[in-house]
Amino acid sequence: MQRLAAEAGEDGQIEFALDDSHLFFRVGDRLLISRMLTGQFPNYEAVLPRENNKHVVLERGELNDAVRRVAQLADQRSHAVKLSVAKEGIEISASSQNMAKPKKPWKKIIRANH
């Protein structure tokens, strides 16, 4: 949406429509379609800790490259990639029903506070 709004400019128009399961946004000849989520979702506030005293600083390009490599082996439906953070480093993994679980241990933490 931000990119579409930026492309529309100050005087541009963004057209909006919806149906039972989708949102449609049009700017000029570009169309963005988004599927609406339905169903019950868990209370994320009950799952995520309220206090977080952990910080990790990473090199963006290296992390991006590592995630892209592992993502190629991720499940085609979910495209899920998991990052596990520990004092020893970060492990990037993905799972697919058709393959063993690929992992990319990445010991490149610049700064981590646990």
Side-chain angles (χ1 to χ4, degrees):
M1 277 304 302
Q2 288 179 335
R3 287 180 69 182
L4 285 176
E7 289 181 20
E10 288 186 26
D11 298 330
Q13 286 188 316
I14 299 176
E15 297 176 44
F16 170 76
L18 68 122
D19 65 17
D20 291 338
S21 59
H22 294 87
L23 303 171
F24 304 90
F25 303 91
R26 182 184 303 274
V27 175
D29 61 349
R30 300 189 82 174
L31 177 65
L32 171 67
I33 302 172
S34 179
R35 185 171 53 95
M36 291 190 285
L37 299 177
T38 58
Q40 295 294 321
F41 296 94
N43 179 1
Y44 71 91
E45 291 177 338
V47 177
L48 299 175
R50 291 187 184 273
E51 299 288 327
N52 181 13
N53 60 356
K54 296 163 183 58
H55 304 304
V56 177
V57 178
L58 305 165
E59 172 60 43
R60 182 187 344 197
E62 290 182 38
L63 176 62
N64 187 37
D65 291 345
V67 169
R68 285 180 187 267
R69 282 192 299 275
V70 172
Q72 292 177 5
L73 303 172
D75 181 74
Q76 294 299 310
R77 185 167 184 240
S78 70
H79 304 285
V81 174
K82 178 181 175 183
L83 277 72
S84 300
V85 180
K87 290 181 182 178
E88 301 80 35
I90 294 178
E91 180 178 84
I92 303 170
S93 62
S95 60
S96 172
Q97 294 176 350
N98 301 330
M99 303 182 150
K101 189 174 185 178
K103 293 183 179 181
K104 168 81 173 136
W106 197 47
K107 309 280 186 188
K108 188 78 176 183
I109 294 181
I110 297 171
R111 184 182 74 223
N113 299 328
H114 288 274

